Amino acid sequence: MAAAPRLRHPGSVVAGVDGSEDALSAALWAAEEAFLRRSALFLVHATDTDALARYLFQAEIDESRRTGREVLDHAAETVSAHHPEVTVVKELSDRPPSEALRHAAALTGTVVVGHRGRGGFASLLLGSVGLRTAATASTPVVVVRGDHSEAEHPGVVLAGIRDDHDLGCARAAAHEALLRRQPLRLVHVGRTARPRGERTASHERPCPQAADHVRVQSRTTGLLREEFPGLKIETEGVKSPSVPGALVEASRGAAVLVVGGRRGPGYLGPTLGRTTLALLQHAHCPVELVPGHGPGHGSTP
């Protein structure tokens, strides 16, 4: 009889709330995740008054804290109405939002943020708090996006893999699939090249590293099946000129898309790679970024 896989310590679930509907939706998603993990849900609201204290009157600081407590109370009441079985802990912080979320998550927690926060035009893309948190966190970050209201059809857990550095990401996705009792689908996108000036699919030619792509997919699948013998694992190889485009399309109907949080200098924004940014902006389901550190992870952009 095969031994059951060793589940990682799930850690806490931390959700940032700012009074917006997107943040509240993210908090509800986080509550479901906390229920699956059998852990508490920490709701965090950050006033960012530490950095601004010298420029504010005490009355303004007090008002900011009062508003923050109201935001936390409303979010906690909404979460408890939907998930009365989840223990909710409220935390009001004077730190900047991203720093407060990272502090609450500590070494093992998962941070959950909404796709759009309060703010102007920039929030249409992602939201400065979500972007900064995703770019700087050392623990997993979930950006909740897409229509996930049909809880009775949770969908598969999707993992995007590119090379051996993504083994840690695939393992994290396997744990999510076990928690949700859903299949895990590994999607490996092989980039196709096109001659300059050609736009039709008939002129696409395989990437020279196609053999490596097959090897990575086979190796990752084999290791996961050995480590998680009771988990149903599906594999899919996709050829596309756009890696993020193929993953966005694959995300339709998925419960969550898990990808490695590739980072590196030289990109527009706080060190997130272009594929990661595209997924955070366009995926059809929540996106979990697994930081590139520790065994099985890499940090190449």
Side-chain angles (χ1 to χ4, degrees), residues 47-65:
T47 63
D48 198 12
T49 51
D50 270 352
L52 301 175
R54 69 178 66 182
Y55 307 108
L56 300 175
F57 293 108
Q58 186 60 46
E60 293 175 303
I61 295 176
D62 292 342
E63 175 64 18
S64 180
R65 291 171 177 166

Side-chain angles (χ1 to χ4, degrees), residues 169-186:
C169 158
R171 284 188 175 124
H175 285 287
E176 283 288 344
L178 283 175
L179 286 175
R180 298 169 183 276
R181 299 181 180 180
Q182 293 295 320
L184 169 64
R185 179 184 299 162
L186 299 177

Side-chain angles (χ1 to χ4, degrees), residues 17-67:
V17 293
D18 60 4
S20 67
E21 287 300 317
D22 281 296
L24 187 57
S25 178
L28 290 171
W29 189 95
E32 176 65 21
E33 182 74 9
F35 170 72
L36 293 173
R37 296 186 183 194
R38 300 181 182 179
S39 67
L41 170 63
F42 291 80
L43 296 178
V44 177
H45 177 84
T47 63
D48 198 12
T49 51
D50 270 352
L52 301 175
R54 69 178 66 182
Y55 307 108
L56 300 175
F57 293 108
Q58 186 60 46
E60 293 175 303
I61 295 176
D62 292 342
E63 175 64 18
S64 180
R65 291 171 177 166
R66 183 191 66 78
T67 301

Side-chain angles (χ1 to χ4, degrees), residues 7 33 37 51 69 83 91 95 118 123 129 131 133 156 165 170 175 186 197 212-213 225 230 264 278 296 298:
L7 291 175
E33 182 74 9
R37 296 186 183 194
R69 285 190 288 269
H83 299 279
E91 182 174 326
R95 300 170 185 253
R118 290 192 178 279
S123 68
V129 172
L131 183 62
T133 302
V156 301
H165 292 148
H175 285 287
L186 299 177
D212 286 341
H213 294 167
R225 284 178 173 156

Side-chain angles (χ1 to χ4, degrees), residues 13-17 27 30 41-45 72 75-77 79 88-92:
V13 180
V14 177
V17 293
L41 170 63
F42 291 80
L43 296 178
V44 177
H45 177 84
L72 284 169
E77 290 172 3
V79 166
V88 178
V89 180
K90 296 179 290 184
E91 182 174 326
L92 181 67

Side-chain angles (χ1 to χ4, degrees), residues 135-159:
T136 59
S138 58
T139 60
V141 175
V142 178
V143 177
V144 177
R145 47 171 305 112
D147 182 10
H148 48 90
S149 58
E150 298 183 6
E152 66 274 17
H153 301 294
V156 301
V157 173
L158 196 66

Side-chain angles (χ1 to χ4, degrees), residues 14-287:
V14 177
V17 293
D18 60 4
S20 67
E21 287 300 317
D22 281 296
L24 187 57
S25 178
L28 290 171
W29 189 95
E32 176 65 21
E33 182 74 9
F35 170 72
L36 293 173
R37 296 186 183 194
R38 300 181 182 179
S39 67
L41 170 63
F42 291 80
L43 296 178
V44 177
H45 177 84
T47 63
D48 198 12
T49 51
D50 270 352
L52 301 175
R54 69 178 66 182
Y55 307 108
L56 300 175
F57 293 108
Q58 186 60 46
E60 293 175 303
I61 295 176
D62 292 342
E63 175 64 18
S64 180
R65 291 171 177 166
R66 183 191 66 78
T67 301
R69 285 190 288 269
E70 291 179 351
V71 168
L72 284 169
D73 289 342
H74 175 64
E77 290 172 3
T78 303
V79 166
S80 295
H82 287 79
H83 299 279
E85 68 285 353
V86 174
T87 299
V88 178
V89 180
K90 296 179 290 184
E91 182 174 326
L92 181 67
S93 174
D94 292 332
R95 300 170 185 253
S98 296
E99 182 181 328
L101 291 169
R102 295 196 303 270
H103 181 265
L107 298 177
T108 61
T110 296
V111 176
V112 181
V113 294
H115 175 226
R116 301 177 186 176
R118 290 192 178 279
F121 177 78
S123 68
L124 296 176
L125 296 178
L126 175 57
S128 59
V129 172
L131 183 62
R132 183 172 297 277
T133 302
T136 59
S138 58
T139 60
V141 175
V142 178
V143 177
V144 177
R145 47 171 305 112
D147 182 10
H148 48 90
S149 58
E150 298 183 6
E152 66 274 17
H153 301 294
V156 301
V157 173
L158 196 66
I161 58 172
R162 189 171 71 179
D163 52 37
D164 289 329
H165 292 148
D166 288 324
L167 179 57
C169 158
R171 284 188 175 124
H175 285 287
E176 283 288 344
L178 283 175
L179 286 175
R180 298 169 183 276
R181 299 181 180 180
Q182 293 295 320
L184 169 64
R185 179 184 299 162
L186 299 177
V187 177
H188 189 288
V189 182
R191 189 188 300 274
T192 57
R194 292 176 179 172
R196 291 185 179 181
E198 296 291 349
R199 296 179 177 272
T200 61
S202 62
H203 291 284
E204 292 179 355
R205 61 181 187 272
C207 176
Q209 289 78 29
D212 286 341
H213 294 167
V214 173
R215 177 190 59 79
V216 168
Q217 187 173 7
S218 177
R219 171 178 165 79
T220 303
T221 303
L223 289 172
L224 290 181
R225 284 178 173 156
E226 181 178 345
E227 187 173 352
F228 304 92
L231 178 63
K232 181 179 179 181
I233 301 177
E234 306 169 353
T235 61
E236 180 179 359
V238 179
K239 292 182 180 181
S240 173
S242 170
V243 173
L247 289 175
V248 166
E249 183 61 29
S251 71
R252 294 183 185 274
V256 60
L257 167 60
V258 184
V259 294
R262 302 296 180 112
R263 303 170 183 174
Y267 292 108
L268 180 64
T271 70
L272 285 178
R274 285 172 287 188
T275 294
T276 303
L277 280 172
L279 294 176
L280 294 182
Q281 293 169 6
H282 302 294
H284 298 285
C285 68
V287 179

